[in-house]
Structures are given as C-alpha cells and as structure tokens.
Amino acid sequence: MQVNPISISEVAGIINARYVGYKDHLITGLNEIHRVKPGDIVFVDHPKYYDKALNSAASTIIINKEVECPLGKALLIHPEPFTAFNQLTLYFQPKNYSSTSISSTARIGKNTTIMPGCFIGNNVVIGDTCLIHPNVVIYDNCTVGNNVTIHPNTTIGSDAFYFKKRTTFFEALNTCGRVIIEDNVVIGANCTVDKGVTSVTRIGKGSILDNQVHIGHDVEIGEMCLFAAQVGIAGCCTIGNGVTMWGQVGVSSGITIEDGATILAQSGLGENIKRNTIYFGTPAAPARDKMRELFATKQLPKLIKKLYEK
Amino acid sequence: MQVNPISISEVAGIINARYVGYKDHLITGLNEIHRVKPGDIVFVDHPKYYDKALNSAASTIIINKEVECPLGKALLIHPEPFTAFNQLTLYFQPKNYSSTSISSTARIGKNTTIMPGCFIGNNVVIGDTCLIHPNVVIYDNCTVGNNVTIHPNTTIGSDAFYFKKRTTFFEALNTCGRVIIEDNVVIGANCTVDKGVTSVTRIGKGSILDNQVHIGHDVEIGEMCLFAAQVGIAGCCTIGNGVTMWGQVGVSSGITIEDGATILAQSGLGENIKRNTIYFGTPAAPARDKMRELFATKQLPKLIKKLYEK
Amino acid sequence: MQVNPISISEVAGIINARYVGYKDHLITGLNEIHRVKPGDIVFVDHPKYYDKALNSAASTIIINKEVECPLGKALLIHPEPFTAFNQLTLYFQPKNYSSTSISSTARIGKNTTIMPGCFIGNNVVIGDTCLIHPNVVIYDNCTVGNNVTIHPNTTIGSDAFYFKKRTTFFEALNTCGRVIIEDNVVIGANCTVDKGVTSVTRIGKGSILDNQVHIGHDVEIGEMCLFAAQVGIAGCCTIGNGVTMWGQVGVSSGITIEDGATILAQSGLGENIKRNTIYFGTPAAPARDKMRELFATKQLPKLIKKLYEK
C-alpha cells in the first residue's frame, strides 16, 4: 500500500505512539512483512520476529519494545503494533463501500460485458473484451486485465484469513490490498480470490482456474498455470509459470512452486518444489517415490502375515 | 422447533394417526432425535431405533408399530412416521418464501450494512455493526449477532442433506430449523451453513470461517474456533471452543471435538477427539502416531527390497 | 449439438478448409469425440488420435493432415482443427447473452418459484413445482425437470475446463452444450455443474447433491445418486444409478462407476469401478483391501523397530 509521503512525527500522532528517529523521516507506504519495500512501515509484536522486521527492507517499524533503532530507520513504539498498523491502514484508506451494484468509480473497458447481478466495487478497473458472468463480486481497488472471463458466483478480493488471537476474540488484520488479474485469465464459477493484506494477490497472464478454486491472500501465480476444480492455495504462496494442479490439491501458506511443476490430484503440498517436478500425496512427495511407497504399502498386509508366520 | 401447546388428539387429527395416551397429553415442540426435549414429538420408523426414541426425552413418539407406551408419554401410530413428521412441521411452520430481496419481516440492527444483491429471508434478525457483503443469502428465521462479517456469495440456512430412501425417490426431511451466528463471527466468501433440521446450527462467538467452508445441519461450533478454507463439517457434529482446522479438513457426521483440538490440513476425522489433541491423516489419528507411520512408510520400499534379498 | 443439415462444401467455406468427399455430403451435428453420432463433425489434431477420430461414429472429420478418407465419410483439411471446430460451433450457435436477469426466451413451468437474484439464460426450460433459491445462475439452453430444488448461489451450465495449450496462451474449446437436470433432483448451495462441451451434462432423476459439489462437463449421472458436500467429479465421467459418494470425494475424468457403488469420504477415484463395490483411499481401492492396508501400516513403526533390533 502506497501513501503520499508523510513524516514520522505526523504518523506518531495518528496512532498516539512515541517515535525514535528523525522528525522528518518519511513514510511512503505500509506493508505486511512479506511485502515490505524501502519507505514502508511494517509492524512486529513478537520478540521472535523482531530481528526479521528490524532488518527487513522497511524504513519504519512499529514495535512494542524499546530496541536499538537500525541506522537510517525509525521506530514507532506502541503497546499494540497490530492494532496500530490497522489504525494506520484504515486512516490512509478508509472503508467506504459502494451502495450501488456497479460503483460510479469503477472503470469498465470496451466490449466488456458485465452480466446481471454482479457487484463491482470502488476504483475497480476492468479491461477490454472481458466477460463477467452473473453474480460475480469484485471488491474495491481490484484490477482485471483484457480478455478475462469470470464465471458466475465468483468472489474476487475477499478479506485475508489473517487474525491475531486476543483473550476473548480474534482481531482481524485490516485487509487493504487488492487483486490483479492479468490478461487472458479464465476464472471458473464459485471461486474465491482473497486480496493482498497490504499488497497484491496476482493471477498471471493466461492462467486458468476451474470451478470452486480458492486462492489465499498475497499469492502470486505466474503465467499459464492450470488449476483444476476445488484446488485451495493458502496465503503468501509464490507459484511460477506453467504450473499444473489437478483437482482438490491443497497448498500450505508461504510455499514456493517453481515453473512447470505438476501436483497430482488431492495432494497436500507442504514444502517448496523445484521446476518441472511432479508431486503427489499428503504430505506431497516426488510422485515416483510416492508411487513406490503406495506399491510397497499394498504388499504390507501379506508381508506382515509372512513375517509373523516364521 | 417450539409450538404453542396443542393436545395429542388434535395432532392425531392433522396427520390422520391413531394415538395412545391421554387425550389431553400436550405437545410443545417437534424435534429430530438428536435434539429432543420434554414436550417434543419425535419420530421413529426403524425397529433398530425404537428403544432410543421411546426412551428419549421426547414426550410423544410417532411410530409405525403398536408398542407399549412408556409411562407419562404418548404414541402416534402412523404407517409412515417420516412423512407424518414432515406434515406436522409444515403444518406448524408453512413455507412462505419472501418475494422481495429483503423480507419486510427481517430486523436489521444499527450501523449494519447489507450490500447489494443480498437476500434476507423472513424473520431473519441481524444485530448491530454487521457487514453483509454482496450476494449473501440468509434463509428464513436465521439469527446473526452483533459485529458479524459475512463475505460474498455465502449461503446461510440451506436445507439439511437428510433424505429417506423410497423405492423410486428420496424423500427430504423438511428442514425447519435455523442458524444462529453469534457475535464477532467472520464467515468467508462462498461458504455454506445448513440450518438445523428442527433445531439450531450454531457458530459460536468469535469463531472465524475462511472461504468455501461447509457446515452441515445441527452442527454446534463453540467460541473462537478457526476453520481454514474448504473445510467441510458433516451434520450433527459438536465442536468445542478454540478448535483449529486447517485447509480441506473433513469431519464425519455426529463427531464430537473437544476444546482446543487441532486438525491438520486435509485430514478426514471419523472419531471423537479429546481436548488439546492434534490429529492428522485420513482417517485421522494423533499427529505424532501418524508422523511415525508416514516416516516408517517412506522406508518401506527399501525394507521390502532388503527382506526379499535375504 | 444438432444443426440443420448442411453440405460439406458450405461448411468448408465457413472455415476456409479444403474438403475431401462428396460435395453434397451432409452434416447434421457437431460433437466432441466422446459424444459423436453419425452425421456429426468431429475434430482431431494429434496423430495419436487420428485413428480414433477416423473410425468414430462421426461422418466428417476436421483433421490437420491429408489422410485416406474412410468409406462413406468426408474430411475437412485445416491446419488448426481445434480452432476451426470452435469457429463452426460459434457459427451455428452464436453467443448472445441475455441482458435481463430472466431471459424472455426462458420457459418457466407452473407453480415454480424463482427467487430474487437468479439469472435464467436464453432458452432455459424449467419444469413445474420447482424451487430455485436466490442467486442461482442457469446458463443458456439448460433444462430443469419437474419438482427440482436448487439452493442459493449455485451455478448450472458454466464452461468446461477444456483448453488447448498454445505457445503464449490457452485456447478454450467453445462450450456449446448444456445441462439437463431431471425430475425430483435436489442440488445444494454453491454447487457448480458445467455444461457439456458439445452435448449434455446430465443429473438423473431423483439424484441429490449436497452443498459445494462440482460436476464437470459431459458427466452423466444416473438416477437416485447421493453425493455429499464438496464432492468433485471431473469431466466425461459416467455414473450409474444409486451411486453414493461421501464428502470431499474426487473422481478423475472419464471414469465409469457402475450402479450401486459407494465411495467413502475423501477418496480419490482414478479407475472404473464395478456395481455395488465400496471404494476408499487415494488412490481409491476396494475398501476391504484398503482397511487391511491401513491396519498393517499402523503396525509398521513397531515392525521396523523389531526388525532392526534383531
């Protein structure tokens, strides 16, 4: 999330924090730790992640402890960095839902058809020659390229599944990012694509999603991927070009899948995988190893019988 | 389902049944066997379940055989108890769908936003400061607490998957219960929550459902549970507080999960589990045992080779 | 897809192809290879499938190589048969989406309720005493029988997941078939049923689908089947009568399941199965074998320990 440059002293005032650093230290954006860039504010509230946040690309860190301020950076000391970060993203991008089905600030390209029952939020941009089928919902600030088809009852830009446990409730991280769907993408019926927490969930050029696919927040999908029905990708995954997933595959959060990999049906992937590899099983392993295992397991009842007969 | 007190003789007239018991024996409700309370009618049509129904909390039993009437109870003798029960629930609560998107009998709280394209059925009650995103459907009689968020294209209160096989068709049990969503709940996009058959499906205070989660009829979910995307819970499960399910978990019908349990991704749970346990696999087992099994299975191809080389 | 009889010379003109055969050779339909009938055009573009297409029931074959024309048939020689086939199906059935929620060409039966927010496409036929819940989308040309219930946010007739990989994009096969839902069917909330590529996806009389079920293109489901929540069936499967699938089952494309078979929860079926069999696991195997395997695998850690202790 980009913002107009603002000084740390002003930001400190908004969240009622004490700051450490130069009064004129500038802030140009806010991002969650996975997406930080120079100029950004990031937040951290657990000692385990202090170093990561302090050494990240972020220029300003909201933190709940007096620590040494890294050279050239600034700190915002606040007892609840998570809540303070939410306050700031809401300050810079207040929620303001459209009360009409197609927001007056949405921009729709030439030869694009929006069928009945769709909701197109504020500042949504949809390119040319797209076909948006009935009852599709596209949240504020999302971008759809040219020649994109979205099938009915699909949701683009829902909130991230990203919560902090408090004693008596879960506090949601205010999801203020967006979804970018590039040219020539096809998204099936009843899919869900969450927006980035502060940044972007991207579906690359020419990728195809079958029905009932779920894509978590901040996932980056490359070009010309094929995901069959009921695939689910947790947040923050990075998926290369030409990746194929068959039906009902699940991928854990933060996984990297390189170009050309294939994941066979119903697999559950919990580790990074290399280019052009084929994985299978839960937890997923190289398909050849997994097939050997399955073959061996089939022989196991007889083997056990034999061993005990000795 | 509660009804105004009515005598058994009147009820017998409605379904054209013969009754056994006192003429003035009163009925104050109707419930499916899992949810019966004193004053209720229950039905039973299979000898295997006769005793369970006759000894349940129900005061009146619709049954397809002349049996001895338990003390203080009454019987309604009918050749098709399932059908007779449907007749009664429809008699006391006739179907009468709203023809407008937001029923005139729905009550919406203060500072609650209902976005375009939603359907809010008859007698629905929604609390204060809720955000109901576009194209959400909430059936008749459901209740939503305060500070609840429901994401787009979600369905609250669909019929139970509860059918009786007849020779040439399946007869549906008339689903006449409702859904109660308590305060501070978040429900993701494209979720489905079935109503109780005669009673309540409940999502407890502060629980969070990610996208494409399915909750079956009469499920009771405690407080502050977290269910990741594409989880499916079959009917009549009881889930404690603080239970976590990762993506694509499935739970069989009637299972009890105690407080604080965790079920790892893609697991299929078919047995009750104790508090604070961690389960994994299909069928799910304690995660530690399952991990040992997985580790052992990986060695199996080599082990078999070695054994046969001897 | 049926068409008014048209000569091969005319068709050759439409797609700018050279034809081999009699000038007056007639074409009466177009179908994908799985669904061809005499009179049909089929297409083939890979040498591996030439013989299958040339020997199929189709009377006319669009092909990208000069081959010998089978007796009584005709060929259309075109460098890109896939694209040419799309041109033809679009020529005979141009896309023309309804701009109103309920198309003026849709025919709705007596005592059928279409609730608010539904989209009913061109030429859709819905029978008597149906209940179509809010926000259901039914695409052009689909047919719904009598006494059918469809729950909210369900999509009937979305496009097939059928693409040809080109260098820089995936070319979609133009999906021009339809869905037929027979009498007494119940379809849950947030389901998706893809239309046939050129022919029919059918849900047989009295079959029941729970919520979030996905049915791929050209699937044929028999009578009185029961599919629990989150089941996914890939394209071109043939499923008999009285088949039961429990929650989250997945079935690969092109599989045949005979009458009365049962597939247990979360199984992944990759092979044809016989009548009245029970399957379980991923990949699914006869449940009895699979249970033995699971039992044996549980003993494996101890067994390995014992073997290495010797």
Side-chain angles (χ1 to χ4, degrees), chain A residues 139 153 155 192 194 212 267 282, chain B residues 151-153 190 211-212 266:
Chain A
Y139 280 66
N153 290 315
T155 303
T192 54
D194 283 351
Q212 298 188 29
S267 298
T282 304
Chain B
H151 283 276
N153 290 316
N190 293 65
N211 299 340
Q212 299 189 29
Q266 289 195 333

Side-chain angles (χ1 to χ4, degrees), chain A residues 117 119 135 139 153 155 159 163 166 168 170 192 194 212-214 230-232 249-250 266-268 282 293 297, chain B residues 115-116 131 133-135 151-153 190 206 208 210-212 224 226-227 229-230 248 266 297-298 304 307-308:
Chain A
F119 177 87
N135 294 357
Y139 280 66
N153 290 315
T155 303
D159 286 356
F163 295 86
R166 302 296 190 181
T168 60
F170 287 102
T192 54
D194 283 351
Q212 298 188 29
V213 168
H214 165 70
Q230 298 177 325
V231 160
V249 161
Q266 288 195 334
S267 298
T282 304
E293 232 182 87
T297 308
Chain B
M115 291 182 70
L131 177 53
H133 281 280
N135 294 357
H151 283 276
N153 290 316
N190 293 65
I208 315 283
D210 198 358
N211 299 340
Q212 299 189 29
M224 291 184 70
L226 277 179
F227 295 176
Q230 298 178 324
Q248 298 183 331
Q266 289 195 333
T297 308
K298 274 203 176 168
I304 287 182
L307 285 171
Y308 283 98

Side-chain angles (χ1 to χ4, degrees), chain B residues 124-305:
Chain B
V124 168
V125 177
I126 301 180
D128 299 340
T129 59
C130 293
L131 177 53
I132 313 296
H133 281 280
N135 294 357
V136 166
V137 174
I138 306 181
Y139 281 66
D140 293 2
N141 306 315
C142 293
T143 296
V144 174
N146 299 314
N147 194 31
V148 168
T149 300
I150 305 179
H151 283 276
N153 290 316
T154 278
T155 303
I156 305 293
S158 31
D159 286 356
F161 184 67
Y162 191 134
F163 294 87
K164 187 169 183 67
K165 197 177 178 177
R166 303 295 190 182
T167 317
T168 60
F169 66 102
F170 287 102
E171 185 177 355
L173 192 66
N174 172 44
T175 308
C176 55
R178 59 198 189 112
V179 176
I180 296 179
I181 296 173
E182 298 185 348
D183 296 351
N184 306 325
V185 164
V186 178
I187 297 183
N190 293 65
C191 290
T192 55
V193 182
D194 283 352
K195 61 165 89 76
V197 165
T198 56
S199 179
V200 170
T201 303
R202 183 185 311 270
I203 301 184
K205 215 171 150 179
S207 286
I208 315 283
L209 275 53
D210 198 358
N211 299 340
Q212 299 189 29
V213 168
H214 165 70
I215 307 292
H217 68 92
D218 293 288
V219 170
E220 291 268 353
I221 297 173
E223 301 187 3
M224 291 184 70
C225 293
L226 277 179
F227 295 176
Q230 298 178 324
V231 159
I233 313 286
C236 297
C237 290
T238 304
I239 297 169
N241 301 321
V243 170
T244 303
M245 298 195 197
W246 294 110
Q248 298 183 331
V249 161
V251 180
S252 298
S253 62
I255 295 297
T256 296
I257 299 174
E258 294 186 7
D259 294 355
T262 297
I263 309 177
L264 301 180
Q266 289 195 333
S267 297
L269 186 69
E271 52 182 288
N272 297 342
I273 64 175
K274 295 289 176 195
R275 49 185 301 149
N276 299 328
T277 48
I278 304 176
Y279 270 65
F280 180 53
T282 305
R288 191 171 297 189
D289 298 348
K290 192 71 197 176
M291 294 306 176
R292 261 192 217 112
E293 231 183 87
L294 287 168
F295 181 76
T297 308
K298 274 203 176 168
Q299 302 172 62
L300 190 58
K302 275 188 191 161
L303 177 71
I304 287 182
K305 211 178 152 199

Side-chain angles (χ1 to χ4, degrees), chain A:
Chain A
M1 181 179 170
Q2 297 299 107
V3 299
N4 290 330
I6 180 170
S7 71
I8 193 160
S9 53
E10 271 190 85
V11 169
I14 297 166
I15 56 172
N16 198 20
R18 195 167 66 73
Y19 71 88
V20 177
Y22 295 104
K23 186 177 164 239
D24 298 330
H25 176 88
L26 279 186
I27 284 135
T28 57
L30 297 98
N31 270 309
E32 196 257 352
I33 186 72
H34 295 89
R35 299 298 193 133
V36 282
K37 294 192 300 284
D40 281 353
I41 294 181
V42 75
F43 72 94
V44 66
D45 55 9
H46 197 291
K48 196 170 147 189
Y49 301 113
Y50 282 174
D51 279 351
K52 192 175 178 188
L54 292 164
N55 298 324
S56 73
S59 305
T60 309
I61 301 97
I62 312 180
I63 190 165
N64 52 353
K65 202 195 164 191
E66 303 274 347
V67 294
E68 202 180 337
C69 183
L71 195 70
K73 300 198 174 184
L75 306 177
L76 288 156
I77 314 293
H78 191 285
E80 289 293 357
F82 187 97
T83 307
F85 190 79
N86 275 351
Q87 275 181 272
L88 284 179
T89 55
L90 280 164
Y91 175 87
F92 290 111
Q93 191 184 97
K95 295 286 178 201
N96 175 27
Y97 294 105
S98 170
S99 60
T100 58
S101 287
I102 298 187
S103 165
S104 59
T105 59
R107 294 206 317 260
I108 315 287
K110 284 176 292 180
N111 300 316
T112 281
T113 303
I114 311 281
M115 292 183 69
C118 291
F119 177 87
I120 312 290
N122 298 316
N123 309 315
V124 168
V125 177
I126 301 180
D128 299 339
T129 60
C130 292
L131 178 53
I132 313 297
H133 280 280
N135 294 357
V136 166
V137 174
I138 306 182
Y139 280 66
D140 293 3
N141 307 315
C142 294
T143 297
V144 175
N146 299 314
N147 193 32
V148 168
T149 299
I150 305 179
H151 283 277
N153 290 315
T154 278
T155 303
I156 305 293
S158 30
D159 286 356
F161 184 65
Y162 190 133
F163 295 86
K164 185 168 186 67
K165 197 178 179 177
R166 302 296 190 181
T167 316
T168 60
F169 67 102
F170 287 102
E171 185 178 355
L173 192 66
N174 172 45
T175 308
C176 55
R178 58 198 190 111
V179 176
I180 297 178
I181 296 173
E182 298 186 348
D183 296 349
N184 305 324
V185 163
V186 178
I187 298 182
N190 294 64
C191 290
T192 54
V193 182
D194 283 351
K195 61 164 90 76
V197 165
T198 56
S199 178
V200 169
T201 302
R202 183 187 308 272
I203 301 184
K205 215 172 148 179
S207 286
I208 314 284
L209 275 53
D210 198 357
N211 298 341
Q212 298 188 29
V213 168
H214 165 70
I215 307 292
H217 69 92
D218 293 290
V219 170
E220 291 267 353
I221 298 173
E223 301 187 2
M224 291 184 71
C225 292
L226 277 179
F227 295 175
Q230 298 177 325
V231 160
I233 313 286
C236 296
C237 291
T238 304
I239 297 169
N241 301 320
V243 169
T244 302
M245 297 192 198
W246 293 109
Q248 298 182 332
V249 161
V251 180
S252 298
S253 63
I255 296 297
T256 297
I257 300 175
E258 294 185 6
D259 295 354
T262 297
I263 307 178
L264 301 180
Q266 288 195 334
S267 298
L269 186 69
E271 53 181 289
N272 297 341
I273 63 174
K274 295 289 176 197
R275 48 186 300 149
N276 299 327
T277 48
I278 305 176
Y279 270 65
F280 180 53
T282 304
R288 191 172 296 188
D289 298 347
K290 192 72 197 174
M291 294 305 175
R292 261 192 216 113
E293 232 182 87
L294 288 167
F295 181 77
T297 308
K298 274 202 175 167
Q299 301 172 62
L300 190 58
K302 276 188 191 161
L303 178 70
I304 287 181
K305 211 178 152 198
K306 200 178 137 192
L307 285 171
Y308 284 98
E309 274 170 0
K310 277 195 204 175

